Amino acid sequence: MPRARIIRLAIGALAAMAVSACGIIKSDPASDWQTPKLASGFTNAGAGAAPVGYYKDASDRVYLRGVVQSTQASPSDAKVFVLDEGVRPVYTHRFNVLFSLHEGDIVIWAAVQVSPDGVVSVSGANIETFSLDQVSFRTR
């Protein structure tokens, strides 16, 4: 292998490590995502959206993903699923997320709450579909 190619590969590897050390890139192999059991009344939205899941990286940050669909009229505060121990926050966190009504005709804000007991819940009237993709928090 030519020396110039080896140097370029080494520089690329160092740059990737530096970016990773800054927290810009996280390792999230598909096998590291955990699939929670959704509570009654909720299901994965499908249609090409990522399934509901969570992932904890090496810096103790948990990421949620997926699009959730309500299968029935949801109450104003509904439990969606419960996180396993070890991926729960120390404090309660609330996140504003977009959700849709009337089969996507209306898009407004709802609140997703993640509690120290691991309960992930959603607040909003008659939520049909919402995304968890922007939810992340630290466990310590």
Side-chain angles (χ1 to χ4, degrees), residues 43-69:
T43 187
N44 284 296
V52 175
Y54 59 88
Y55 166 78
K56 181 177 173 183
D57 70 11
S59 66
D60 293 324
R61 178 163 287 281
V62 174
Y63 300 87
L64 304 186
R65 73 167 183 197
V67 178
V68 182
Q69 184 169 1

Side-chain angles (χ1 to χ4, degrees):
M1 181 179 295
R3 182 181 169 115
R5 179 160 166 73
I6 293 172
I7 292 172
R8 280 196 306 270
L9 289 172
I11 290 172
L14 288 173
M17 285 188 287
V19 169
S20 180
C22 293
I24 297 170
I25 294 177
K26 64 182 190 303
S27 170
D28 62 351
S31 62
D32 288 347
W33 285 94
Q34 303 299 311
T35 304
K37 181 177 188 264
L38 296 176
S40 176
F42 294 99
T43 187
N44 284 296
V52 175
Y54 59 88
Y55 166 78
K56 181 177 173 183
D57 70 11
S59 66
D60 293 324
R61 178 163 287 281
V62 174
Y63 300 87
L64 304 186
R65 73 167 183 197
V67 178
V68 182
Q69 184 169 1
S70 175
T71 58
Q72 58 193 16
S74 59
S76 60
D77 189 17
K79 177 173 76 172
V80 181
F81 62 90
V82 179
L83 292 165
D84 292 334
E85 290 187 31
V87 294
R88 298 175 177 179
V90 175
Y91 304 104
T92 297
H93 296 278
R94 291 180 62 87
F95 304 90
N96 290 323
V97 299
L98 291 174
F99 77 93
S100 68
L101 292 169
H102 306 292
E103 298 179 6
D105 291 340
I106 301 172
V107 178
I108 57 178
W109 292 100
V112 168
Q113 180 171 298
V114 184
S115 303
D117 61 0
V119 173
V120 176
S121 59
V122 63
S123 300
N126 297 319
I127 296 170
E128 290 179 5
T129 305
F130 62 95
S131 173
L132 297 172
D133 291 339
Q134 63 273 35
V135 176
S136 75
F137 55 88
R138 292 195 38 98
T139 60
R140 297 187 210 186

